[in-house]
Amino acid sequence: MRNLFRIAASATVLTMAAASAQAAGETVCLITKTDTNPFFVKMKEGATAKAEELGMTLKAFAGKIDGDHETQVQAIETCILDGAKGILLTASDTSSIVPAVQQARDAGLLVIALDTPLSPIDSADATFATDNYKAGLLIGQWAKAKMGEAAADAKIATLDLNVSQPTVDVLRNQGFLDGFGVDLADPNVIGDETDARLVGSDVTDGNEEGGRRAMENLLAKDSTINVVHTINEPAAAGAYEALKSIGRENDVLIVSVDGGCPGVQNVQAGVIGATSQQYPLLMASLGVEAVKKWADEGVKPENTPGKDFYDTGVALITDQPADGVESISVAEGLELCWG
């Protein structure tokens, strides 16, 4: 078990930014996967604003890259030693982080998973998140409806997050496949389906360069791919560039999840056919409120009725609505976007 008193070593590897409204206020920690992805930038904005409003001190930490598990563990250790009241966490490795999370809970901190449920989900005190399965389901249903009869012979590629298959990655992937009409094998695993339409999957680390690389790898496997699911919009942008380099940018349907302003603008431009929008600022601000209530009253947040997490909402954005699939327009998405 990692020694909680390795503060000096931790300090050399943590990427940290802190905002403080009142030095004497309770401390809440925000630990994200990176500090460059617009999703996490907006999450930090929401947490910062709410902490200032409530007179709390926010300390924000982030991994160097998506998948940087060790830095997140060290951040949890720092938050425990600093006497924080709670931690808001988007975990890079949703199962390996559990022992560190349990240490924090044992020390009396409230731990809330943001966006990405831990594995198992009840390893955190609460989860504030998009219904990521629904986000995937919506883009899968839309893609199937958009293709019509051609969906029966589709050539599908999925551009996922990383090899550790964090829960958010699995939920979006499996939701998309379900929505498109692919029979799932184990819904907790990516890549075990037997549908002949599936060309394969590759990982992107959730960024544009990774999306380009993964798309190139899968096109080398089958150049006739015509449907692409991406874990997020930066990966979708990379996939589009790879397709454009071989003159196929206009005949491949790309769908994604996030709803950041650049992604919604890419829907408007025709780079992405449709995206599922989520609301990171709301997740983070609600998380800070929950930590404040825990500090003041010892009360933990409750789940959305019928779900094992607190659902912060999702909406499909496209200017090509499909029958039977609820969506909002790009104009509406631009009013709600972030980043």
Side-chain angles (χ1 to χ4, degrees):
M1 182 177 294
R2 187 171 281 100
N3 185 345
L4 291 182
F5 296 96
R6 288 165 42 210
I7 257 309
S10 297
T12 63
V13 293
L14 289 174
T15 302
M16 171 181 169
S20 175
Q22 295 181 6
E26 298 97 346
T27 296
V28 55
C29 291
L30 174 68
I31 304 172
T32 55
K33 297 175 185 177
T34 72
D35 58 6
T36 55
N37 186 309
F39 183 84
F40 300 124
V41 172
K42 182 56 65 173
M43 190 174 277
K44 183 179 173 183
E45 286 180 17
T48 299
K50 184 57 67 172
E52 290 176 352
E53 177 187 329
L54 298 178
M56 302 183 76
T57 295
L58 176 73
K59 293 188 176 181
F61 304 80
K64 301 179 188 70
I65 59 170
D66 205 321
D68 183 4
H69 166 70
E70 289 300 321
T71 294
Q72 291 195 319
V73 171
Q74 292 159 5
I76 291 174
E77 294 171 356
T78 299
C79 293
I80 296 171
L81 290 173
D82 282 352
K85 296 296 183 181
I87 296 173
L88 311 177
L89 171 68
T90 60
S92 288
D93 190 321
T94 51
S95 56
S96 296
I97 201 76
V98 168
V101 168
Q102 188 59 52
Q103 288 178 341
R105 295 178 70 187
D106 289 345
L109 283 73
L110 182 76
V111 180
I112 298 176
L114 298 184
D115 179 55
T116 304
L118 301 187
S119 182
I121 193 170
D122 61 2
S123 299
D125 291 293
T127 301
F128 290 1
T130 306
D131 187 333
N132 281 294
Y133 193 90
K134 181 179 179 181
L137 187 74
L138 285 169
I139 56 175
Q141 291 172 335
W142 180 86
K144 181 181 180 181
K146 177 68 176 172
M147 292 198 74
E149 294 181 359
D153 299 309
K155 294 290 186 179
I156 304 168
T158 69
L159 274 56
D160 303 301
L161 189 53
N162 58 48
V163 294
S164 69
Q165 297 194 11
T167 49
V168 65
D169 198 9
V170 175
L171 289 166
R172 293 181 187 180
N173 174 287
Q174 297 290 281
F176 164 76
L177 294 179
D178 186 10
F180 201 86
V182 173
D183 289 334
L184 305 180
D186 182 346
N188 299 306
V189 176
I190 292 174
D192 61 351
E193 297 80 18
T194 59
D195 194 305
R197 294 175 293 178
L198 296 175
V199 172
S201 64
D202 204 342
V203 297
T204 66
D205 290 324
N207 59 53
E208 186 168 341
E209 180 183 353
R212 184 198 302 265
R213 181 183 63 250
M215 190 75 256
E216 289 171 347
N217 291 342
L218 291 166
L219 286 168
K221 185 175 181 180
D222 188 335
S223 62
T224 68
I225 290 168
N226 58 5
V227 179
V228 178
H229 156 73
T230 64
I231 179 66
N232 63 12
E233 292 151 359
Y240 177 83
E241 290 302 318
L243 290 163
K244 185 177 180 180
S245 71
I246 61 170
R248 295 208 55 220
E249 70 273 21
N250 295 320
D251 55 37
V252 178
L253 192 61
I254 301 175
V255 292
S256 195
V257 177
D258 258 356
C261 294
V264 178
Q265 290 162 359
N266 273 343
V267 175
Q268 187 176 46
V271 171
I272 301 171
T275 193
S276 287
Q277 187 172 61
Q278 49 182 348
Y279 305 102
L281 189 150
L282 179 62
M283 290 179 202
S285 61
L286 289 173
V288 172
E289 286 182 349
V291 173
K292 178 63 172 174
K293 189 168 186 178
W294 168 252
D296 291 349
E297 305 174 28
V299 176
K300 295 183 179 181
E302 297 183 358
N303 294 330
T304 298
K307 298 185 178 184
D308 56 1
F309 64 98
Y310 185 94
D311 187 350
T312 54
V314 64
L316 180 73
I317 297 173
T318 185
D319 275 342
Q320 304 174 60
D323 289 343
V325 186
E326 186 176 354
S327 64
I328 63 175
S329 68
V330 167
E332 291 171 292
L334 288 171
E335 289 291 328
L336 298 168
C337 70
W338 39 266

